[in-house]
C-alpha cells in the first residue's frame, strides 16, 4: 500500500510539471498523454481510498462498537471492501507491469 502511494505521488509530480515537459513522446506509452496519466493517478487514488476505509474497520476501531447489528453490517462492508481492494490491486498490477515494460 505504501509503495502504491509513493508511485502515485511521483506520477502526480509528473502531472504537475506536465506543461514543462517538451517531448511527451519520450514518456512510456501508458502515460504519454495527460488523460492517460490522470487515469492511472485516479486508479491509484481510488485504491488508496479503499485502503483508508479498511483502516477504520480494524479491531482498534471496530471493537469499540457495542451494537451487534452495526458490527454485522460493518463486517459485511469490510468483506466487500477487501474484495474490491483485491480487484483493484490486480488492475494496478497490470497497469504497473505495462508501464514497467515500457521503461
Amino acid at each position: 500500500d505504501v509503495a502504491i502511494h509513493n508511485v502515485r505521488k511521483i506520477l502526480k509530480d509528473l502531472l504537475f510539471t506536465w506543461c514543462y515537459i517538451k517531448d511527451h513522446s519520450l514518456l512510456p506509452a501508458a502515460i504519454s498523454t495527460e488523460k492517460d496519466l490522470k487515469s492511472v493517478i485516479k486508479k491509484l487514488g481510488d485504491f488508496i481510498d479503499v485502503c483508508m476505509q479498511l483502516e477504520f474497520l480494524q479491531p482498534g476501531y471496530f471493537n469499540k462498537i457495542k451494537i451487534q447489528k452495526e458490527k454485522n453490517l460493518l463486517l459485511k462492508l469490510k468483506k466487500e471492501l477487501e474484495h474490491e481492494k483485491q480487484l483493484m490491486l490486480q488492475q494496478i498490477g497490470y497497469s504497473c507491469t505495462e508501464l514497467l515494460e515500457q521503461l
Side-chain angles (χ1 to χ4, degrees):
D1 297 352
V2 173
I4 291 174
H5 180 70
N6 288 333
V7 168
R8 181 175 179 260
K9 285 173 35 177
I10 292 167
L11 292 175
K12 284 183 78 172
D13 288 345
L14 181 61
L15 181 62
F16 293 142
T17 59
W18 189 262
C19 61
Y20 300 107
I21 300 171
K22 302 235 184 269
D23 190 358
H24 296 117
S25 67
L26 297 176
L27 295 171
I31 58 170
S32 64
T33 69
E34 190 174 8
K35 180 181 175 184
D36 290 340
L37 180 57
K38 286 180 179 180
S39 176
V40 172
I41 291 169
K42 180 170 179 4
K43 283 181 194 175
L44 298 177
D46 291 345
F47 177 80
I48 292 167
D49 289 347
V50 169
C51 291
M52 292 303 300
Q53 291 169 5
L54 284 167
E55 281 295 314
F56 288 105
L57 294 172
Q58 295 302 312
Y61 296 102
F62 185 79
N63 291 339
K64 294 178 182 179
I65 298 171
K66 305 292 184 210
I67 301 169
Q68 190 59 43
K69 186 175 181 179
E70 287 182 25
K71 280 188 175 184
N72 292 341
L73 287 172
L74 291 174
L75 278 173
K76 182 179 177 187
L77 175 62
K78 182 177 181 180
K79 286 180 184 180
E80 290 172 5
L81 288 171
E82 287 170 342
H83 179 71
E84 184 178 347
K85 179 181 175 181
Q86 289 306 311
L87 293 176
M88 294 171 92
L89 198 53
Q90 288 175 353
Q91 291 177 332
I92 289 168
Y94 172 76
S95 296
C96 288
T97 300
E98 179 183 19
L99 183 57
L100 187 59
E101 289 172 354
Q102 296 171 7
L103 291 174

